[in-house]
Structure formats: structure tokens, C-alpha cells
Amino acid sequence: MFENAEIPLESLPSVEEVSWQPIARSYLAELIAGHVVGLCIALLVAFGGTALGIINAPGSVPKGVALYAAVHLLVVAVWSPLSVRHRGYALREHDLLYRVGVLRRKLIAIPFNRIQHVETTSGVTERLFGLATLVVYTAGGSGGDLKIRGLETDQAHRLREHVLRRAGQADESG
Amino acid sequence: MSPAEAHGWQRASPLSVLFYVGQILRGVARNLFQAVVPATAVVISTGWTTRDRLYGLAGALLVALILVAVGRWLRFRFRIDEEGIRIRQGIFQREELDIGYDRIQGINTTQNPIYRLFGLVDLKLDTAGSATAEGHLPAIPADLSERLRGRIRRRKDDSADGVAGTEEADSDEGETLLALSPGDMVRIGLTSNGALILLAVLAPLADELGERAGPWLERTFGPVADTLQDLSAGAAAFVAVASILVAAMVLMGISVLGAFLRHHGYTLGTDGEVIRSRGGLLTTHEHSMGLGKLQVLRIHQGPLLQLFGAFRLVAKQAASHAVNTGKSFLIPLAPPSFVERAPAVFFDDEGRELDLRMDGNGFHPISRRYVRSRTLLFGGFGAVAGLLLLAINVPWSVAAVMALLVPTAAWPFIRRRYARWGLALTADAAVVRQGLIGSTLQAFLLRKVQRVDVVQSPFQRRHGLVTLQFVLAAETVTVPWIDETVALRLCDRVLYRVESSRLAWL
């Protein structure tokens, strides 16, 4: 028998009341490490190149690069912890929620019965820190609809398995 | 009979060779350089005389063209069975396509005058997976395409009732919803963007044309120009305006002609499951779409359409986001009475209480802060422009006026856009209105939403506002600047609708 009882709006589960799961602490290290590596290369080129005479630039240029690196690092050091703290995901019975953004904040909700496929990826620096990214696809977005960066590798795999299973169940019942 | 044919594999009509010739010529035109150079090299290396070379080249190309076209026809086989349509094609690189009935969103057939003579049609299938039409059956008998439509429809009935369908095609077209008159063709021509597009295409050529036509015009209209010089400035302006008007009218004329060619005798019908349009002067275009595949219904009314009291409707299907041309079902012109019926036609029961009138009173406005925020934004643009003017030594008073002029000029437009934004909801569906000069409605069923985004900028956060985005398989519907708590309730409601829905979204 098909039933379709009216559900009062107030009784609907709310996206506001979920408890957000933080992403891995080591993602902060990965984030900063990525910037540090890039800046180190820039410094190496600037100072090393000048010292070896490969680059024929005025002496102020390496100093400028160093100054920029210091400012960049300062901004990253302040911004990254904020960025990491504002990221979080929540797994509910019927959907996956993700929030991201410090100034411009975004809440993304994907119902399991709309998920097309799920994958985990991990780049070089991510692997170094034992992290992975979960990417969820629906028929709506172009490319990945949802990318959760900074998950511990086994956590990401568990999450992928769970989402896959839930998506499959949702399809069968639907 | 070959074993393949014994298993229901069929060939397209030999006339499809014509189609392949056209397809190859188009391909060659696209890669002209690559195709011509080797051929020329071959001819030259054989050491013929110049005249023979030309004839030889043309002959060789023609033979190659026909051989390839015939080859493609010979290698093209298709089969229509219980599960779907199977296509085997390709001369050197074999291609095998299996398209299940449930994946087919729409069927497009075109029938040019030659095909009509032989009772053939060119059939294209829309599927969600590809950017362009995936299955293409060139030159197949018209009754076969009719049976295919029947198959698609019947399969739906099967899954609903669990009763096996019968083999013969049902030619039942159902109810006619709309028929357009020749007068409507003129209206379509005048309101379509075709004239503008033509203008955009011709504009880059204008210089070249001017250079060539200049001397000729000089000779022909020289005396006229001399007379013009004697005329007053007012008359000269009149001539300039008149020539612009003439150019505009010519473009309009071409656009109207295009509308006649494409839509003449347009009729729209539905049997409740499939919506179907047919029209065209020389080549008949027939398009049918499973109504269950509809993702977003767009209703548009620009200023000219408003003058005519008419609307343009586009029913959008799921498409990969690259290019979704041909993936949408177009109703080029519809009267208000049709728009009133549209919810029932397109959304069936789920469309009840949905009001798709542009000035419907169910629309909730967005926050007034939208106007302030956008005006401030344009104020910022103005300030930047003013600073730039100061930098190039423009007097500060002029720069200041410019800086103030930008937001002032933008304000009425922002105000207008604010007034047009609106969201209306029913239990199953939602409709969003927006527009600047015209108005556009986007209507969709809540259960077809793929993803919900709630975005909040720092400015919005200070006032407890957010921008809500519903991502659907056809396009994204955005509702900017609405109250945060309302938006989150709405998000909950849509998620609930999606997650409790047991109906297929595609």
C-alpha cells in the first residue's frame, strides 16, 4: 500500500543540526608543505642562480623574492588553519554534506540516490602525508560535484565504500 | 541472406549514400588542407599534363568520395530488438553502439524532399551520455521510425503495468496541444536571435566587403553622394538612419525566412508520455521527447515576445555539460493559454498548483540588500574607472563625475533585475523567475535535483542571507540573496523530496 502522509516542515531533518566531521589535522601540514616547497624552489632559483652566475639580475631581485616568500608564508600560516577549521563533512543516512570556505562559505549537499560514481585520488604530497581526496560525481555538475580534500587514506577508502554502498541501495529501492 | 541479416540486422536505404557524401564533404571542408595536399602530391608525382592533372584530381576525388560513401553504407547495420537499438558501423575502425530504450531521451527525425519521395527519414537519438546525438540512423523507412517511437512509449507502459506490449506500432498521436500559423512564423522570425547572430557573423566580413564594394558603390552612387553633400545635416542623418533600418529589415527578412523553413506548419502533440513536435517547409523536422526525461522547463519572454503576448519554451533534458545543443525540446512560440496548461502537460500530476505565468502572484521576492550590494559593486567599478582617468591626467572633477555616473547608470538595471527575481514553490515543484530586459522562468521538479549548494559571501553573512543553487542534470537554477533560515529550510525540503522519491530522475 502506498502512503503519502503530509510531513510537517518543522519535523524535517535539518542540515543545520548535523555534527560536522573535521578533516585530518595533517592536511594543515600538507597545505603548508606544498607552499613551502614551491617557495623553496623559487628561493633556490633566485639565490642559487645568481650565485652561480646563471641569472644576471640586480642584487635586489633575490632580496625581493625572499621578501615575497616571507609575506606569502605569513599569509599561508594565518590562512591555512582557518581554512582547515572551516572544512567539514557529514554523513547522514540519505546524503553527504560538505562545507568549505572561510570568507565565502559553501554548503554542498548530495543525496545518495543521485550519485553516479565515487573515487579517491591522492597526489604526491597527499601520499607523503597519508592523505587522499574523495571525489563524488552526480549527473548535474561538470567534473566532480564534490571534492573532499585532506582525508586520511583509509578513512577516504572507507568513506568511498560506504557512499558506494548507500548509492547502490538507494538505486535499488528507487 | 547473411547471418547478420538473419538475426534482424538491417541496412539503411541506399539513399543514405547521399547523406554520407554530404558528411564526407563536410568532413573534408573541415580538414581541407590535410585532404587536398596528399591528393595533389599523388597527381603531380604521376607527371601528367596540367589539364589532365586537374581532371585526374577531380576524378580521383569523386571516385574516392563515392567509394567511401558506398563503403560506409555497406558497413552500416542496425538492429532493433527487445532491449534497444544496436548499431554497427565504420569501414576501417568498427564501431558498435548499443543504446537501451531507457537511455533514449528523445528521437529527432528530419525528412528532406528527396527522402519524402521515397518515404525515408533521417533519425537521431538523444541520450544523456553524449554531448551530441549519439545514435544516428541515416535514411531508414518512415514507418520504422514510427515503430521505434511506439517501442519507446510501450516500454514505459510495460514497466508501469507489467503487461507485454504488442508488436504493431500505435500511430496514436494523442492530443494536439498547439498549431502555429504562418503569422506565427513571422513572429518567430522577428523574435528569434537568428538575425542578431547573422549580424555577428557578417560583422567581421564587413571590412572586406567594404573594400571590394567601395569602388563599385562610388561609381554607381557617386552622383547620389554629390547630391547628398548638398543636403542639410538633418537629411544626411535621415539617410543614415534609413540605411540602418533597411539593413535591419533585410536581416529580419532572412530570420523570418529561416523560421518558415524550420517551423512551417508546426504542430505540437502529446499522448501523456511523449511530447512531439513537427514542422518545416522543405525538410520536415520531427522531434519527440519522453516527458519523464524533462529536467528543467524554461519559459522565456523578451520585449518583442511581450509585444506579441507570446512565449518561447525550451524543455531541457539531461546532458553532459559540454554542449547541449539538440538536447532540448523547443517550442518556438506559444500563447499564454498554452503556458497556463504547461504545468499539467510537462509535469503531469506533480505540476499541479504550479503557476508559470510571468506575473504570477506566488513569487517570493529576494532580499532588497541585493540592490545595495550590486550598486556598491558598480560603485567600486566607477571608483576604479575614476582613478584610471586621474592617472591619465583627466581633471579630477570629470573623474569624480565618471565615478558617480557608473553606479547611477547601473542602478535602474539592478533595480529591475531585483524586481524580476522570484521563487515560487509547490509541494513537488519549484519555479524561479529572473530577467533584465525580458523574463525567464525555470521550472523543475524538486525530486530531479542532483545537488544543492548554499553559498554565502561575507557581505551576505552580515545580513543573514545566502545564495541557493539547485544543480540539475540540465542546468543549475540559482536563487540569490534569500534569507538564510528560509534557504536552509528549503534545502532540507528539497533533500527530503529527492531522498524519499522512488521515481527515476532520468
Side-chain angles (χ1 to χ4, degrees), chain A residues 37-132:
Chain A
V37 167
L39 291 173
C40 279
I41 290 170
L43 286 174
L44 207 67
V45 169
F47 282 96
T50 317
L52 294 172
I54 304 166
I55 300 169
N56 190 13
S60 59
V61 172
K63 276 179 204 153
V65 173
L67 188 68
Y68 167 78
V71 172
H72 186 128
L73 211 59
L74 196 69
V75 171
V76 167
V78 174
W79 187 262
S80 300
L82 281 174
S83 167
V84 171
R85 199 182 313 148
H86 279 94
R87 285 164 199 245
Y89 64 92
L91 213 54
R92 298 198 297 180
E93 196 184 342
H94 295 289
D95 47 34
L96 178 63
L97 305 176
Y98 183 56
R99 60 167 190 175
V100 66
V102 179
L103 288 179
R104 186 185 151 82
R105 290 184 193 162
K106 197 167 180 179
L107 167 76
I108 302 170
I110 301 186
F112 288 131
N113 57 352
R114 293 291 175 268
I115 289 175
Q116 297 280 318
H117 80 274
V118 195
E119 61 185 33
T120 48
T121 62
S122 46
V124 179
T125 47
E126 280 182 312
R127 274 202 299 279
L128 229 57
F129 288 89
L131 296 173

Side-chain angles (χ1 to χ4, degrees), chain B residues 419-500:
Chain B
R420 291 271 77 186
W421 276 109
L423 167 75
L425 274 174
T426 70
D428 295 309
V431 52
V432 173
R433 182 184 63 194
Q434 60 171 300
L436 179 59
I437 300 164
S439 300
T440 303
L441 295 185
Q442 292 168 293
F444 59 95
L445 293 179
L446 301 184
R447 66 176 170 87
K448 298 227 172 181
V449 168
Q450 301 281 328
R451 185 182 103 204
V452 186
D453 291 354
V454 186
V455 188
Q456 191 177 46
S457 71
F459 187 86
Q460 286 177 325
R461 184 153 52 251
R462 230 179 305 148
H463 303 290
L465 298 165
V466 295
T467 293
L468 196 58
Q469 291 174 326
F470 300 109
V471 181
L472 287 111
E475 60 186 13
T476 298
V477 180
T478 304
V479 194
W481 297 84
I482 56 171
D483 184 75
E484 188 174 5
T485 41
V486 170
L488 290 173
R489 284 288 84 74
L490 208 58
C491 175
D492 293 336
R493 185 159 152 196
V494 171
L495 287 175
Y496 163 70
R497 275 284 155 192
V498 174
E499 287 154 13
S500 63

Side-chain angles (χ1 to χ4, degrees), chain B residues 307-427:
Chain B
L307 203 67
F308 295 136
F311 301 88
R312 190 172 74 229
L313 280 75
V314 182
K316 293 202 152 195
Q317 299 159 262
S320 49
H321 273 237
V323 194
N324 47 13
T325 46
K327 284 286 181 107
S328 41
F329 186 93
L330 174 74
I331 302 169
L333 196 80
S337 60
F338 179 78
V339 172
E340 262 166 51
R341 288 185 60 193
V345 169
F346 286 98
F347 299 116
D348 205 6
D349 267 358
E350 289 172 290
R352 68 187 178 282
E353 289 169 32
L354 192 63
D355 188 354
L356 294 180
R357 288 173 305 176
M358 290 291 172
D359 51 357
N361 46 20
F363 287 104
H364 299 289
I366 60 168
S367 166
R368 279 199 68 93
R369 300 258 174 207
Y370 173 83
V371 180
R372 193 186 297 182
S373 146
R374 288 301 135 105
T375 312
L376 278 174
L377 185 71
F378 278 92
F381 292 155
V384 170
L387 284 175
L388 285 176
L389 285 176
L390 277 181
I392 56 167
N393 289 328
V394 172
W396 68 269
S397 53
V398 178
V401 168
M402 276 304 290
L404 285 175
L405 203 64
V406 174
T408 317
W411 190 80
F413 294 102
I414 297 167
R415 186 71 204 122
R416 165 86 186 157
R417 217 164 141 65
Y418 155 74
R420 291 271 77 186
W421 276 109
L423 167 75
L425 274 174
T426 70

Side-chain angles (χ1 to χ4, degrees), chain B residues 10-329:
Chain B
Q10 305 180 45
R11 278 213 176 109
S13 155
L15 268 180
S16 63
V17 170
L18 282 180
F19 160 77
Y20 285 122
V21 167
Q23 190 188 48
I24 295 162
L25 285 179
R26 274 196 298 278
V28 169
R30 229 173 284 134
N31 310 298
L32 192 66
F33 187 69
Q34 299 164 14
V36 163
V37 169
T40 320
V42 167
V43 172
I44 289 170
S45 64
T46 50
W48 295 340
T49 64
T50 322
R51 218 172 125 189
D52 285 348
R53 262 179 220 164
L54 278 177
Y55 286 140
L57 182 65
L61 284 179
L62 198 67
V63 169
L65 180 68
I66 290 167
L67 274 179
V68 173
V70 170
R72 282 199 187 165
W73 165 61
L74 282 175
R75 297 289 273 183
F76 181 89
R77 293 249 166 76
F78 69 98
R79 194 177 116 174
I80 297 169
D81 60 24
E82 289 309 312
E83 276 86 49
I85 298 163
R86 289 154 210 284
I87 296 173
R88 304 280 178 270
Q89 61 184 3
I91 301 178
F92 301 111
Q93 198 177 336
R94 294 291 283 165
E95 202 179 328
E96 308 196 347
L97 294 169
D98 291 344
I99 305 166
Y101 289 126
D102 53 339
R103 277 183 56 222
I104 299 174
Q105 301 187 342
I107 297 182
N108 301 296
T109 60
T110 52
Q111 189 177 45
N112 62 38
I114 300 172
Y115 281 8
R116 195 171 315 149
L117 226 61
F118 294 92
L120 299 169
V121 293
D122 178 284
L123 187 140
K124 284 193 178 103
L125 300 168
D126 278 346
T127 57
S130 61
T132 53
E134 189 178 343
H136 184 185
L137 308 176
I140 60 162
D143 60 323
L144 195 63
S145 93
E146 215 46 50
R147 237 170 52 216
L148 205 55
R149 281 175 213 274
R151 262 270 163 70
I152 293 160
R153 185 178 309 143
R154 206 158 37 243
R155 207 188 134 80
K156 281 212 188 84
D157 295 346
D158 286 355
S159 53
D161 306 323
V163 183
T166 46
E167 255 305 305
E168 77 253 33
D170 50 343
S171 55
D172 171 35
E173 290 208 11
E175 177 193 6
T176 300
L177 296 164
L178 193 65
L180 299 182
S181 68
D184 290 330
M185 295 304 124
V186 177
R187 286 181 200 108
I188 294 169
L190 292 180
T191 53
S192 79
N193 302 324
L196 288 176
I197 291 165
L198 200 67
L199 197 66
V201 171
L202 288 180
L205 300 174
D207 276 348
E208 189 140 333
L209 278 173
E211 253 169 57
R212 280 157 201 267
W216 178 78
L217 283 173
E218 195 99 345
R219 275 200 308 279
T220 321
F221 294 108
V224 183
D226 289 342
T227 354
L228 279 183
Q229 273 177 350
D230 299 337
L231 289 175
S232 64
F238 173 76
V239 170
V241 169
S243 34
I244 289 171
L245 278 178
V246 167
M249 278 168 76
V250 168
L251 285 178
M252 291 285 189
I254 294 172
S255 184
V256 168
L257 194 71
F260 267 102
L261 279 174
R262 182 65 183 79
H263 299 299
H264 179 74
Y266 183 95
T267 56
L268 181 75
T270 181
D271 63 354
E273 297 277 354
V274 175
I275 191 161
R276 182 171 179 172
S277 74
R278 182 187 294 171
L281 192 62
L282 297 173
T283 299
T284 314
H285 298 260
E286 196 165 333
H287 193 169
S288 47
M289 180 186 91
L291 284 168
K293 308 288 186 189
L294 173 69
Q295 303 292 325
V296 178
L297 178 69
R298 260 178 178 266
I299 304 180
H300 175 75
Q301 188 177 47
L304 268 175
L305 277 167
Q306 198 166 8
L307 203 67
F308 295 136
F311 301 88
R312 190 172 74 229
L313 280 75
V314 182
K316 293 202 152 195
Q317 299 159 262
S320 49
H321 273 237
V323 194
N324 47 13
T325 46
K327 284 286 181 107
S328 41
F329 186 93

